[in-house]
Amino acid sequence: MTAILSVDRLTKTYAGGFTALDDVSLDIREGEILALLGPNGAGKTTLISTVCGITQATSGHVTVGGHDTITAYRAAREMIGLVPQEINLEPFEKVINTVRFSRGLFGRPRDDAYLEKILRQLSLWDKKDEPIRSLSGGMKRRVLIAKALSHEPRVLFLDEPSAGVDVELRRDMWAVVRQLQEDGVTIILTTHYIEEAETMADRIAVINGGRILLVEEKAALMRRMGRKEMRIELKEPVTRIPSALADFGLTLEAEGTRLVYSYDRQASRTGIVRLLSALQETGLTVADVETRQSSLEEIFVGLVTERQSA
Amino acid sequence: MNLTAVAAIYKFEMARTFRTLAQSIVSPVLSTALYFIVFGTAIGSRIEQVEGVSYGAFIVPGLIMLTVLTQSIANASFGIYFPKFIGTIYELLSAPASFLEITAGYVLAAATKALMIGLIILATAYFFVELTIAHPIWMIVFLVLTCLSFSLFGFIIGIWAKNFEQLQLIPLLAVTPLVFLGGAFYSVSMLPPAWQGITMFNPVLYLVSGFRWSFFGMADVPVGWSIVAIFGFLIACLAAIAWIFRTGWRLRA
Ligand SMILES: Nc1ncnc2c1ncn2[C@@H]1O[C@H](COP(=O)(O)OP(=O)(O)OP(=O)(O)O)[C@@H](O)[C@H]1O
Ligand SMILES: [Mg+2]
């Protein structure tokens, strides 16, 4: 796949002297969903704003669909839709008018049928004639999404789209995002709900302190970084780990009724078979065995804190 | 050229105007009527005639200028300050539109509204005084150019302003005094010679004078100067706006 968006050695130092982006390079592939993760102040919004032309880069280049965002800003920006993190809307304007305005601003001819489609998708159609100030927070966020989609962008930035949106609507929104991906739209998503990245993203980028720490396929990342755990539930509790099992580095949980074994799935020997046979020799009665993979969240926290302490 | 963007901004701004039509029109019309009563009737009964024109009619061009200047500045400065204030400016900055297109949208809308109000005041004036316009086409040209150039000026103020106080500051501190001292309500020839000299440095004088010439065929300064002055101001404002958008001054972090 080709890169539809290419960030090349982008640096942003704000007027106060703070460097929010430090030599960031990143290629985004056409049609993918990339989740951009990072703690507060990591530089996610700054990266998005610089790509979209809201802040000026100190150095570096960005191209969208091969168009430089400075020298060919029209062609580049026509391709981009942006859902900002802050809810910035004209309070007295009707929903439909602000969405229509956005489409016009991006140079597209009026197309009410298309706008109806996206407003329906976002469950906003029955609110179309309401002034924005009468909408709830979650509805306002969906108005922002409708505005961003109004000009049929090829690349969509979603800066924390699910903040303040309830669970059900969040799922609706994910469905909309999936549909967009099927239509060929490339999506860059920032979120603090790691679960969201885990369900949605094809690739994960982690940014911290203005630097990209990693960009990787989600599946590969979870395979590589994810520790697996085997949990052995015991019928009868034990007070300590039997000496026969001392070599496995087990931990005892749930008041002595659960043994937890962590292993690396990539390793040539996981040690599972050895553990199970050793377990049999102890004569303990096993009620259940389950394995689970550490979540993206655990990976993410591990990554960010590890770099911070380094 | 992204003309669709210009049209979108223009329509959006005009929709705001029409939503608040009553308050947009009532207050300038009311204050103009008050001026006619106070200046035209009370003072006019003592002055009677200025260079062959009844005082009531004489102040009409100045009154229209006063309103059109303040309206142009207020409309355009608010038009661009408001998106900055509520944060919707992000959309303008990320749109595939040049500074010219964005400025054109806001400035044309602000100028349209000011022009509408100017014409309404002219119509109101007919209720109070007898008027004949000597050069109607020039009258419209002056009016339109004034609306455009001061809307541009207002647009700059709106970008410059960091809060609502600053937004009000220039119109209050500079524009209103300049209009009053620019011969809106008197002929410069009525002033003592020293003041006449000082007044020549007041840019608004050239506007009021040219505009009054289009009504009555008489002026404080040659009408050619008025035209040069208004175009000079227009070009200066355009240059300032081009610089603002190129550097992102007060717009882009
Ligand atoms: N206009 C600005 N002027 C100066 N510093 C800024 C400005 N905007 C952001 N910063 C700083 O740049 C850093 C990155 O901010 P940014 O908004 O990009 O973070 P973020 O990753 O989006 O965080 P969050 O998850 O909280 O949204 C922060 O330290 C912030 O204080
Ligand atoms: Mg942010």
Side-chain angles (χ1 to χ4, degrees):
Chain A
M1 263 194 274
T2 50
I4 191 161
L5 188 136
S6 184
V7 177
D8 182 27
R9 310 206 57 181
L10 198 63
T11 294
K12 171 66 190 178
T13 303
Y14 279 110
F18 182 82
T19 299
L21 293 177
D22 187 3
D23 199 17
V24 168
S25 294
L26 180 65
D27 275 349
I28 290 161
R29 301 167 187 167
E30 180 149 23
E32 76 171 332
I33 299 182
L34 179 102
L36 185 60
L37 305 181
N40 288 137
K44 303 180 294 293
T45 301
T46 303
L47 177 59
I48 293 174
S49 301
T50 312
V51 171
C52 294
I54 297 164
T55 43
Q56 285 172 322
T58 308
S59 63
H61 295 277
V62 179
T63 58
V64 184
H67 309 289
D68 187 281
T69 52
I70 303 293
T71 56
Y73 71 97
R74 277 186 207 268
R77 291 183 191 173
E78 270 167 11
M79 298 179 68
I80 301 177
L82 166 63
V83 179
Q85 179 173 6
E86 308 287 333
I87 298 186
N88 302 319
L89 289 164
E90 291 248 6
F92 304 107
E93 218 40 75
K94 282 182 189 171
V95 171
I96 184 75
N97 288 347
T98 118
V99 177
R100 207 174 267 151
F101 169 74
S102 298
R103 185 176 169 88
L105 192 61
F106 277 73
R108 291 307 200 100
R110 190 164 161 171
D111 182 348
D112 286 346
Y114 174 74
L115 296 187
E116 175 172 348
K117 193 186 102 187
I118 55 175
L119 287 177
R120 281 191 190 282
Q121 262 182 345
L122 292 162
S123 324
L124 282 172
W125 182 243
D126 55 333
K127 297 283 177 192
K128 70 177 193 317
D129 292 317
E130 302 282 327
I132 284 163
R133 67 168 189 279
S134 73
L135 267 48
S136 77
M139 290 174 193
K140 286 182 188 147
R141 199 166 285 283
R142 280 178 283 141
V143 173
L144 288 177
I145 298 177
K147 279 166 77 76
L149 293 178
S150 67
H151 62 279
E152 302 163 63
R154 303 300 304 150
V155 178
L156 180 66
F157 286 97
L158 293 162
D159 200 351
E160 297 193 33
S162 46
V165 175
D166 70 33
V167 178
E168 195 183 335
L169 281 174
R170 201 177 299 166
R171 294 196 193 287
D172 287 354
M173 216 169 59
W174 293 354
V176 172
V177 171
R178 281 255 154 67
Q179 181 60 49
L180 286 168
Q181 186 184 30
E182 272 168 37
D183 298 342
V185 178
T186 307
I187 291 146
I188 296 103
L189 172 88
T190 81
T191 180
H192 288 289
Y193 298 102
I194 311 265
E195 179 207 356
E196 187 163 77
E198 208 168 324
T199 21
M200 300 293 298
D202 301 311
R203 285 199 304 159
I204 307 279
V206 177
I207 184 170
N208 194 16
R211 289 168 175 272
I212 299 274
L213 300 186
L214 98 161
V215 189
E216 200 167 339
E217 298 284 340
K218 179 187 65 186
L221 177 68
M222 298 195 49
R223 262 200 317 275
R224 186 168 67 81
M225 306 280 295
R227 299 280 299 175
K228 288 210 75 159
E229 269 177 14
M230 186 164 73
R231 298 163 163 224
I232 302 157
E233 308 283 345
L234 302 174
K235 266 255 159 56
E236 306 291 334
V238 294
T239 49
R240 54 178 202 84
I241 295 168
S243 54
L245 303 177
D247 293 345
F248 294 94
L250 301 181
T251 49
L252 196 58
E253 288 180 1
E255 287 153 6
T257 61
R258 184 193 299 145
L259 294 167
V260 180
Y261 174 53
S262 303
Y263 62 96
D264 185 350
R265 204 165 64 173
Q266 312 272 143
S268 53
R269 295 164 163 276
T270 57
I272 294 176
V273 176
R274 264 190 323 122
L275 173 64
L276 287 179
S277 58
L279 189 66
Q280 199 172 25
E281 275 164 30
T282 61
L284 293 172
T285 324
V286 175
D288 195 9
V289 176
E290 102 182 304
T291 63
R292 68 181 277 283
Q293 176 147 17
S294 55
S295 66
L296 184 59
E297 178 152 3
E298 289 157 324
I299 299 173
F300 169 71
V301 171
L303 200 64
V304 169
T305 48
E306 175 190 313
R307 298 290 171 124
Q308 263 163 358
S309 54
Chain B
M1 197 64 186
N2 184 354
L3 287 179
T4 323
V6 180
I9 296 172
Y10 183 81
K11 275 189 216 149
F12 200 72
E13 287 298 297
M14 289 313 286
R16 192 209 313 282
T17 300
F18 286 114
R19 212 169 36 229
T20 55
L21 193 64
Q23 81 204 48
S24 307
I25 287 172
V26 167
S27 89
V29 168
L30 188 71
S31 55
T32 309
L34 286 174
Y35 278 117
F36 275 121
I37 293 166
V38 173
F39 284 87
T41 320
I43 301 177
S45 63
R46 295 178 176 230
I47 300 183
E48 285 181 5
Q49 288 219 325
V50 183
E51 298 178 30
V53 179
S54 84
Y55 186 71
F58 178 84
I59 62 169
V60 170
L63 264 181
I64 294 176
M65 274 291 157
L66 175 64
T67 312
V68 159
L69 288 191
T70 19
Q71 281 289 322
S72 299
I73 292 176
N75 298 341
S77 62
F78 184 78
I80 190 68
Y81 178 77
F82 193 55
K84 268 197 341 180
F85 180 67
I86 61 171
T88 52
I89 188 94
Y90 83 88
E91 216 181 1
L92 296 172
L93 297 177
S94 62
S98 68
F99 86 90
L100 251 178
E101 291 151 2
I102 294 174
T103 309
Y106 280 100
V107 166
L108 288 177
T112 306
K113 184 179 170 192
L115 183 65
M116 278 170 20
I117 291 172
L119 293 175
I120 289 171
I121 287 173
L122 181 59
T124 314
Y126 278 99
F127 284 102
F128 291 90
V129 291
E130 248 178 79
L131 268 179
T132 43
I133 299 169
H135 310 284
I137 301 210
W138 277 109
M139 192 278 282
I140 294 293
V141 170
F142 269 112
L143 198 56
V144 168
L145 283 176
T146 306
C147 289
L148 282 177
S149 51
F150 278 80
S151 293
L152 278 170
F153 184 56
F155 192 78
I156 296 170
I157 293 176
I159 291 176
W160 164 78
K162 284 182 173 167
N163 51 50
F164 276 101
E165 285 74 38
Q166 290 190 344
L167 201 62
Q168 312 281 356
L169 202 67
I170 305 259
L172 213 64
L173 246 52
V175 176
T176 311
L178 284 179
V179 178
F180 272 88
L181 301 176
F185 301 111
Y186 53 83
S187 165
V188 175
S189 61
M190 295 158 83
L191 295 175
W195 275 102
Q196 285 189 26
I198 292 171
T199 307
M200 290 298 152
F201 291 102
N202 181 350
V204 178
L205 171 76
Y206 297 86
L207 289 181
V208 173
S209 166
F211 194 50
R212 185 174 292 133
W213 168 85
S214 73
F215 275 78
F216 310 121
M218 53 119 161
D220 289 328
V221 291
V223 68
W225 293 16
S226 295
I227 292 170
V228 170
I230 196 164
F231 272 105
F233 187 60
L234 194 74
I235 289 165
C237 289
L238 275 175
I241 287 170
W243 176 82
I244 286 169
F245 275 81
R246 211 176 49 245
T247 58
W249 180 73
R250 299 256 164 123
L251 286 176
R252 287 191 169 93

